[in-house]
Amino acid sequence: MIKAQLQSAIRQFQSWFFQAKNTNPDNVLNQPPKEIIAEFAQKLYQLPQPLKYRTTVQEALNVAIADWQQNPQAANSLVILGSPVEAIAQIVQSSLTADLLGNLQVINPLTQWQRSTDPSALQTVISNALASQLKSPQSVNSQLSERQTLIVIPCLAQCFLRCIQGWEGIEFLQNAVIQDQSRFWLIGCNYWAWTFLNQVCQVSAYLEQVQPLPELAGDELQEWLKPVTTEFKPQEGVELAYWKSLANFASGLSSVAANLWLQALRIRAADTPDAVSEAKPGLIDHDVNLEVTANLLQTNPILPIMPDLITFDRYLLHSLLLHGQMTRPHLALSLGENEQIVRSRVQTLQRAGVIVQQQEQLSLNPAYYPTLKIELSNNNFSVGDK
Amino acid sequence: MLLPWLFTESSTFIVKTRLFAQLINNNGAIEKLLTDITVKKIIKALISIFVAYGISVTNQSLINWLSERVPRRFRLLIKQSVPFWKGLILIVTTVYLLNLFLNLSQNNFLALTGTLAVALGFAFKDYVSSIIAGIVTLFEAPYRVGDRIRIGENYGEVIGYGLRGLRLQTPDDNTVTIPHNKTWTDAISNANSGQLEAQVVTEFYLDHEVDVEQVIRILYQAAYSSRYTQLKLPVAVVMEELPSSTHFKLKSYPMDARDEFVYKTDLIRRAKQVFAKYGLSYPQLSQESPQILAKS
């Protein structure tokens, strides 16, 4: 804990130092135009999940399933744990390749799942999926050879809500796992939700096998981001240091690293689009974009400074990290607060860039995650730890 | 039966008379005790008092300001340093002033303390008692700045720690000043003892006919689902039968003791919503009920 705090303090200092350095008037660099940022964000979004994540899940699943198929007493579940800003559902899904699965029958009961306020909804969905997709009900003492079914719950954090009766679906799920050894359950979950569920319904007593996602090192991040970053040429000799620094700031989390990299893109004042288009009025938008992209600089990553938070903001952000992603009405329900009040604070945090919204789902901007985690921990919140 | 009383009273009288006699006999020593009082010294003394007061006030404001801005877990730690700094400033100033006006030799010191003891014993008995109690409580720490305590009828957060007494902020936002010497006679109930969390007991009265298991489950979930709850600390539900109702007590901890009342409100609101959903009824008060309640 002390080591983590120390590392965080060092990162904050480095962040502050780099910012101070960048404010030198002789060396001021501007943010690139929004269109360029959006273009790169899209490219980052389309990247496949980091190889190290996928291989970790695959190796753990391989071992766990082999054990379950050979040993009658072996655990019939595997939980993949990661940070709440990582796309755990996608990581789990993308790890399930045909080679790995072999003859296993895979059931995805929550393919179209949306978080519900009805505590019985999850039970109904899982029961229906199991009933409709299996030929015959399997007994508790089924033969080892019959162990051929894999049920995937990609994101456990989407299956509960912090309100009275909000985690009854989880209780149903953990009982289902224990009662029927003939099926293997692969479950993705974030640390914060896992910590919460452990405290309210002792979930780890039922789902005993846990595999945390690894931290990514500098060279692994470099490899992962290569399709997007090939056009940038950092100075000779400092390339490895750059990626090491990025991994350090991002605490080894891919989503945080991608966001920090994006936020650290800069362009010189003379190369801004206005200057370009004025100098070459004949260029069409696309050409301007190309020209701007060519002039982009990959500057040192820094952690963004958290805006001043009021007490309610901390509760709000804690709730958001607990559930990973959620709609505004669900957030209000989870906080036990009027939706009007929640909306106003969400607007403020969204304007500050701390919260992002995709369709109706709110989530934390991953770049703020390392700072926020320390902030909440310092304010006596229970944060998810490895 | 009166003899012991007479003996005690007469002994005290004899001791006091001797002390006065000694002081009168020691007039010479007292004359030497005081140094020459000059205008320069008076100005110095006034400046030192002014500076000490300024430092003390600034220090307190600074600490209060800082404690409200640092991460919550350092808040009490910083606030609790206020009495120490105040005491240090007071001691340094007093020593400086004594040194300025008095020749503090061994004899003089004894004479001075004797005189002070008599003077203070007669005139400022309660005041001195409070100051001594304040010093004792600094070490015993039955309460510190930031704690939530109950002394007699008064309950609230300790927001100030002075030479003579402490200042308590009540839930109604009143500030109550209580002399430290209450610690000699009154029981002090401290809810958090320097910790950020303090147990909150939320009480519910339901009809005898309710499903007790269901109520207990709802109350546990109300506590676990509240945003204020410190989940690292235990939650418990206890109950007892009263003539008029079944009495449930939900015991849990908020992350910050300051949230005590909003936390309680949140718990009651959450629980009542679900009680209404499942038709869990409250006790029906009949005409005889007030008497029954009074008995219970």
Side-chain angles (χ1 to χ4, degrees), chain B:
Chain B
M1 287 297 286
L2 286 172
L3 199 60
W5 177 80
L6 280 171
F7 179 77
T8 316
E9 284 294 297
S10 58
S11 302
T12 314
F13 180 71
I14 291 164
V15 170
K16 283 177 183 170
T17 317
R18 280 183 184 167
L19 197 58
F20 274 119
Q22 197 178 2
L23 282 172
I24 293 159
N25 291 339
N26 285 346
N27 262 349
I30 290 170
E31 276 169 20
K32 285 179 196 167
L33 177 70
L34 292 172
T35 58
D36 296 334
I37 298 172
T38 61
V39 177
K40 196 178 167 187
K41 278 187 181 177
I42 291 171
I43 290 170
K44 269 186 181 177
L46 287 174
I47 289 172
S48 64
I49 290 168
F50 180 74
V51 169
Y53 179 75
I55 292 174
S56 180
V57 170
T58 313
N59 181 53
Q60 183 157 2
S61 307
L62 190 71
I63 287 175
N64 280 338
W65 176 85
L66 189 67
S67 67
E68 297 301 329
R69 272 154 191 82
V70 293
R72 200 186 272 176
R73 66 195 178 107
F74 301 121
R75 188 182 73 216
L76 295 184
L77 200 69
I78 293 175
K79 278 203 166 174
Q80 284 159 7
S81 67
V82 170
F84 169 77
W85 292 116
K86 270 190 169 179
L88 190 69
I89 293 164
L90 189 74
I91 289 168
V92 170
T93 314
T94 311
V95 168
Y96 178 75
L97 289 175
L98 290 175
N99 198 37
L100 203 61
F101 292 110
L102 303 172
N103 290 318
L104 287 175
S105 66
Q106 198 178 353
N107 286 338
N108 286 348
F109 183 74
L110 287 172
L112 180 72
T113 48
T115 311
L116 278 175
V118 173
L120 295 177
F122 281 113
F124 302 108
K125 186 167 65 93
D126 289 342
Y127 196 84
V128 173
S129 171
S130 281
I131 291 172
I132 293 169
I135 294 165
V136 170
T137 51
L138 259 185
F139 293 99
E140 278 191 2
Y143 48 77
R144 283 164 286 190
V145 180
D147 284 0
R148 299 182 77 79
I149 63 165
R150 179 183 293 284
I151 301 183
E153 299 275 300
N154 301 300
Y155 174 75
E157 181 185 340
V158 180
I159 55 164
Y161 193 103
L163 191 63
R164 190 186 70 83
L166 64 102
R167 284 189 298 129
L168 204 65
Q169 189 168 38
T170 68
D172 300 330
D173 214 22
N174 294 332
T175 304
V176 183
T177 304
I178 302 171
H180 291 304
N181 65 0
K182 282 272 181 188
T183 50
W184 301 142
T185 53
D186 287 24
I188 298 162
S189 156
N190 193 327
N192 55 329
S193 291
Q195 302 297 309
L196 265 174
E197 305 95 350
Q199 192 182 71
V200 168
V201 180
T202 316
E203 296 177 277
F204 297 89
Y205 296 87
L206 295 172
D207 193 74
H208 287 300
E209 303 302 320
V210 295
D211 179 349
V212 167
E213 292 304 322
Q214 192 182 21
V215 173
I216 290 176
R217 190 174 167 79
I218 290 169
L219 292 182
Y220 268 108
Q221 293 196 357
Y224 283 131
S225 62
S226 173
R227 70 179 194 241
Y228 300 105
T229 303
Q230 177 51 275
L231 294 169
K232 293 174 199 162
L233 294 169
V235 174
V237 177
V238 293
M239 55 181 279
E240 64 175 318
E241 280 296 273
L242 300 178
S244 58
S245 61
T246 304
H247 180 200
F248 295 88
K249 280 184 185 176
L250 172 57
K251 298 179 173 186
S252 52
Y253 294 81
M255 281 187 277
D256 189 342
R258 275 184 180 177
D259 291 333
E260 179 183 353
F261 298 103
V262 283
Y263 178 48
K264 213 180 235 189
T265 308
D266 189 49
L267 292 177
I268 294 170
R269 190 167 63 173
R270 280 170 188 268
K272 276 181 84 83
Q273 278 170 359
V274 186
F275 290 161
K277 184 177 165 187
Y278 288 101
L280 296 168
S281 53
Y282 297 94
Q284 299 297 314
L285 297 179
S286 62
Q287 283 187 337
E288 296 82 45
S289 293
Q291 283 80 31
I292 297 171
L293 282 173
K295 281 177 194 169
S296 65

Side-chain angles (χ1 to χ4, degrees), chain A residues 237-246 300:
Chain A
V238 295
E239 195 171 3
L240 192 61
Y242 174 85
W243 293 108
K244 226 174 154 180
S245 161
L246 184 66
N300 283 320

Side-chain angles (χ1 to χ4, degrees), chain A residues 9 25 45 65 73 77 86-87 99 103 121 138 166 213 227 295 380 382:
Chain A
Y45 181 74
I65 286 183
Q73 303 303 321
S77 64
E86 292 286 44
D99 289 350
N103 294 329
Q138 302 196 10
L213 288 177
N295 290 327
N380 214 17
S382 166

